[in-house]
């Protein structure tokens, strides 16, 4: 699996893609965070149950918070 941030017309977004064959092919990218939350610093952690994707994003009040997505 891989996670990355991408600069688009509306701002930065966070994307995820997975491979089940050692990286020969990859799934279609899945957007995890939209630009309206100003996501940054994506990280990917392997766990015993699968993967944990982490990133920071801003709340409407401007506070920076940790966001995450768990997947297998």
């Amino acid at each position: 699996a891989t996670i990355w941030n991408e600069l688009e017309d509306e701002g930065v977004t966070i994307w995820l893609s997975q491979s089940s064959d050692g990286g020969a092919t990859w799934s279609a990218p899945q957007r995890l965070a939209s630009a309206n939350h100003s996501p940054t610093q994506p990280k990917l952690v392997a766990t015993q149950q699968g993967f944990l994707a982490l990133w920071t994003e801003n709340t409407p009040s401007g506070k920076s918070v940790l966001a995450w997505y768990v997947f297998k």
Side-chain angles (χ1 to χ4, degrees):
T2 188
I3 188 172
W4 68 95
N5 56 349
E6 190 169 308
L7 181 58
E8 298 181 354
D9 290 340
E10 66 270 11
V12 176
T13 55
I14 303 287
W15 293 85
L16 165 76
S17 185
Q18 300 178 67
S19 176
S20 59
D21 58 11
T25 61
W26 291 87
S27 67
Q30 176 183 355
R31 183 184 288 184
L32 297 182
S34 60
N36 62 333
H37 296 296
S38 302
T40 61
Q41 304 177 14
K43 305 290 186 241
L44 189 62
V45 179
T47 70
Q48 291 180 347
Q49 292 78 30
F51 293 94
L52 173 63
L54 303 159
W55 64 94
T56 58
E57 59 184 36
N58 293 329
T59 64
S61 66
K63 182 179 178 184
S64 181
V65 296
L66 182 64
W68 64 87
Y69 176 73
V70 178
F71 61 99
K72 291 186 178 198

